[in-house]
Amino acid sequence: MTRSEENYLKAIFHLGNGEAGSISTNAIAEQMDTKPSSVTDMAKKLAEKGLVHYKKYQGISLTDTGTRTALSIIRKHRLWEVFLVKKLDFTWDEVHEVAEQLEHIKSEKLIDKIDALLDFPKYDPHGDPIPTKDGKFMERDKQLLSDMPIHAQGVCVGVKDSSAPFLKFLDKNKIALGNTIKILDKEDFDQSLQILMEGKELRISHQIASNLYVKKND
Amino acid sequence: MTRSEENYLKAIFHLGNGEAGSISTNAIAEQMDTKPSSVTDMAKKLAEKGLVHYKKYQGISLTDTGTRTALSIIRKHRLWEVFLVKKLDFTWDEVHEVAEQLEHIKSEKLIDKIDALLDFPKYDPHGDPIPTKDGKFMERDKQLLSDMPIHAQGVCVGVKDSSAPFLKFLDKNKIALGNTIKILDKEDFDQSLQILMEGKELRISHQIASNLYVKKND
DNA sequence: ATTAAAATTTAGACAAATCTAAAAATAGGT
DNA sequence: ACCTATTTTTAGATTTGTCTAAATTTTAAT
Ligand SMILES: [Mn+2]
Ligand SMILES: [Mn+2]
Ligand SMILES: [Mn+2]
Ligand SMILES: [Mn+2]
């Protein structure tokens, strides 16, 4: 497994949102910031190795082996992100770049020890689930804040956009995962929300609300 | 800096034992487990980048920049080794392979935080000194056990051979860094030693004695 | 000073991962 | 069904790091 192969598998997995299904050459090229012709070349190589299904012009999908491999890289990425935040005081907007490198370190023992050191975390700093060693996924029951009805209450559990600018914006506005949240009012005009977060009132644009995941109280 | 370039700089540094001086193409090739022709190619590239001095047939030596770069990689390697042993319970014979990968992770913040987490260690698990951020080296006053006179006393502080088989052998014989040691007798015939280690008598072959560093008591 | 051995470099090739430009296949609209 | 725009693939080139085999330079011995 080369680093590039691993990155392709991860990209294909993410584009399929975890579900199996054919992904287009162009979509992969865009996600990987490369050219479609490069994707075609790699598709052939990965198909050769039994990691993807590929038929000319028919798109690309992960085999079972490919899915397992992708999940193991995502597991490493997210565990390293937790490590960086919990043990080294990185902020949640700094970890992704470093984790992109650390996820390619080859040592099963290393990642198992990191997992244990962190007390087997279930979610990464952005609220994304950490696959288990055998590739099991524990997706949380969550929904976008923008999809919730007025007066609904819950807890912030994740972000959809995990780009540094968005995360820094959330920090600046004291919006953090784990915070309680209640929708006080929805503005029809621009779909902005008046919310109560940890006891404080706050106005939130639709753009923000559509990138924040909330676990609704029962 | 590519991974390969970094590995060449490290190899050149190690072959020079820290001192500046011209290293032969063949020596580098052997150390890197590659061919002399590949070394020549890389020598040209590194010279181009100002990291080594190189004149055809005249051998290769590090520039100041090259030395600084090599030291920063060695610093990372050794800090990661300490991390693996102290925080993740790796044994000293397991860490090198993983550190070979981790040393290439690019993040100044990461290695500084690891350094702080470990409380700024001065030596790695094999007794080798860890360069400071600005490339300062703190070589310990030590000598090979085989070079010490009879009745000399001291403390084990390092290994010359840090291959897994040797380290495992030391473990098996309860020889660890930090142990007190006294030479009771030297056998002229095979230069083996009768020693007292942490209160226990032990016989040690010349091969072992010539790979163990001891800090002599004053 | 010659000469043979050893070290080093050059020349040419290859694999991996990428690119550009051109060709081929597909999909959609009429 | 036909044409066109889009998508995808192919062909050929490039970069990095490596290799083998041949040529060159250095070294060290006579
Ligand atoms: Mn990430
Ligand atoms: Mn994440
Ligand atoms: Mn090491
Ligand atoms: Mn070491």
Side-chain angles (χ1 to χ4, degrees):
Chain A
M1 276 275 91
T2 68
R3 172 173 299 218
S4 185
E5 287 170 352
E6 292 184 346
N7 284 334
Y8 272 95
L9 293 180
K10 212 174 36 137
I12 297 165
F13 184 92
H14 281 134
L15 287 166
N17 279 312
E19 284 117 73
S22 226
I23 311 295
S24 80
T25 302
N26 275 0
I28 297 168
E30 191 177 353
Q31 168 92 8
M32 305 265 311
D33 202 19
T34 184
K35 302 292 168 183
S37 53
S38 305
V39 176
T40 300
D41 287 346
M42 185 55 84
K44 288 176 188 165
K45 198 200 308 186
L46 292 174
E48 194 69 38
K49 294 194 176 190
L51 294 161
V52 302
H53 300 293
Y54 171 62
K55 278 215 297 264
K56 270 194 201 181
Y57 297 102
Q58 299 304 124
I60 297 155
S61 63
L62 295 174
T63 61
D64 284 358
T65 313
T67 303
R68 265 200 310 282
T69 308
L71 282 169
S72 105
I73 298 155
I74 290 165
R75 169 178 161 77
K76 287 193 275 182
H77 181 102
R78 292 181 180 167
L79 280 172
W80 279 115
E81 287 192 341
V82 176
F83 171 78
L84 294 172
V85 167
K86 296 280 183 191
K87 298 294 176 182
L88 302 185
D89 299 314
F90 275 60
T91 55
W92 67 340
D93 58 289
E94 294 174 320
V95 296
H96 181 76
E97 192 192 354
V98 185
E100 284 291 309
Q101 300 179 61
L102 287 164
E103 71 189 5
H104 300 291
I105 300 290
K106 275 154 193 62
S107 167
E108 204 174 328
K109 177 162 187 169
L110 174 58
I111 202 62
D112 289 346
K113 289 285 193 176
I114 290 283
D115 194 17
L117 180 73
L118 299 169
D119 214 10
F120 311 101
K122 301 255 185 304
Y123 300 97
D124 85 359
H126 313 103
D128 294 314
I130 298 173
T132 61
K133 232 177 115 116
D134 47 314
K136 292 267 193 315
F137 228 80
M138 326 166 122
E139 192 56 78
R140 189 143 34 181
D141 168 45
K142 71 193 179 189
Q143 54 194 125
L144 288 176
L145 177 56
S146 55
D147 291 340
M148 289 173 64
I150 195 165
H151 300 315
Q153 285 183 280
V155 178
C156 290
V157 294
V159 291
K160 185 169 171 205
D161 172 8
S162 58
S163 70
F166 181 56
L167 299 178
K168 279 178 179 153
F169 169 89
L170 294 179
D171 281 346
K172 201 167 59 186
N173 289 277
K174 301 268 195 295
I175 300 172
L177 301 197
N179 283 8
T180 59
I181 190 169
K182 176 174 184 180
I183 301 181
L184 300 176
D185 199 20
K186 292 183 108 158
E187 179 59 61
D188 275 349
F189 175 63
D190 64 353
Q191 294 170 86
S192 69
L193 302 178
Q194 187 71 15
I195 64 167
L196 194 70
M197 172 161 285
E198 294 286 317
K200 273 209 199 124
E201 273 198 41
L202 215 59
R203 176 151 291 274
I204 270 184
S205 73
H206 179 70
Q207 231 223 296
I208 304 303
S210 61
N211 279 296
L212 254 188
Y213 285 117
V214 176
K215 179 170 186 291
K216 216 170 151 184
N217 291 348
D218 314 299
Chain B
M1 277 275 91
T2 68
R3 171 172 301 218
S4 185
E5 288 169 353
E6 292 184 344
N7 284 333
Y8 272 96
L9 294 180
K10 211 174 37 139
I12 297 165
F13 184 91
H14 280 134
L15 287 166
N17 280 314
E19 284 116 75
S22 226
I23 310 296
S24 79
T25 302
N26 275 0
I28 297 169
E30 191 177 352
Q31 169 93 6
M32 304 265 312
D33 202 20
T34 184
K35 302 291 166 183
S37 54
S38 305
V39 175
T40 301
D41 287 346
M42 185 56 84
K44 288 175 187 164
K45 199 198 311 184
L46 293 174
E48 194 69 38
K49 293 194 176 189
L51 294 161
V52 303
H53 300 293
Y54 171 62
K55 278 215 296 269
K56 269 195 203 181
Y57 297 103
Q58 300 304 124
I60 298 154
S61 62
L62 294 174
T63 61
D64 284 358
T65 314
T67 303
R68 265 200 311 282
T69 309
L71 282 169
S72 105
I73 298 154
I74 290 165
R75 169 178 160 77
K76 288 193 274 181
H77 182 101
R78 292 181 179 165
L79 281 172
W80 279 115
E81 287 191 341
V82 176
F83 171 78
L84 294 172
V85 166
K86 296 278 185 195
K87 298 295 177 184
L88 302 186
D89 299 314
F90 276 60
T91 55
W92 66 342
D93 58 289
E94 294 173 321
V95 295
H96 181 75
E97 192 193 355
V98 184
E100 284 292 308
Q101 299 180 61
L102 287 164
E103 71 189 5
H104 300 292
I105 300 290
K106 277 156 192 62
S107 166
E108 204 174 327
K109 176 161 186 170
L110 174 58
I111 201 64
D112 289 346
K113 288 286 193 175
I114 290 282
D115 194 17
L117 180 72
L118 298 169
D119 213 10
F120 311 102
K122 300 254 186 305
Y123 301 97
D124 85 358
H126 313 103
D128 295 314
I130 297 172
T132 60
K133 230 175 116 107
D134 47 315
K136 292 267 192 315
F137 228 79
M138 327 167 122
E139 192 56 78
R140 190 145 29 184
D141 168 43
K142 71 191 178 188
Q143 54 194 126
L144 287 176
L145 177 55
S146 54
D147 292 340
M148 289 173 65
I150 195 166
H151 300 316
Q153 285 183 280
V155 179
C156 291
V157 294
V159 291
K160 185 168 172 209
D161 172 7
S162 58
S163 70
F166 181 56
L167 299 178
K168 279 179 180 155
F169 170 89
L170 294 179
D171 281 345
K172 201 167 59 186
N173 290 277
K174 302 266 195 296
I175 301 172
L177 300 195
N179 282 7
T180 60
I181 189 168
K182 175 174 185 180
I183 301 181
L184 300 177
D185 199 20
K186 292 183 107 159
E187 180 57 62
D188 274 349
F189 176 63
D190 65 352
Q191 295 170 86
S192 68
L193 303 178
Q194 189 70 16
I195 64 166
L196 194 70
M197 172 161 286
E198 293 286 317
K200 272 210 199 121
E201 274 198 39
L202 216 57
R203 176 151 289 275
I204 270 185
S205 72
H206 179 70
Q207 230 223 298
I208 304 306
S210 61
N211 279 296
L212 253 187
Y213 285 118
V214 175
K215 179 170 187 288
K216 215 169 150 184
N217 291 349
D218 315 298

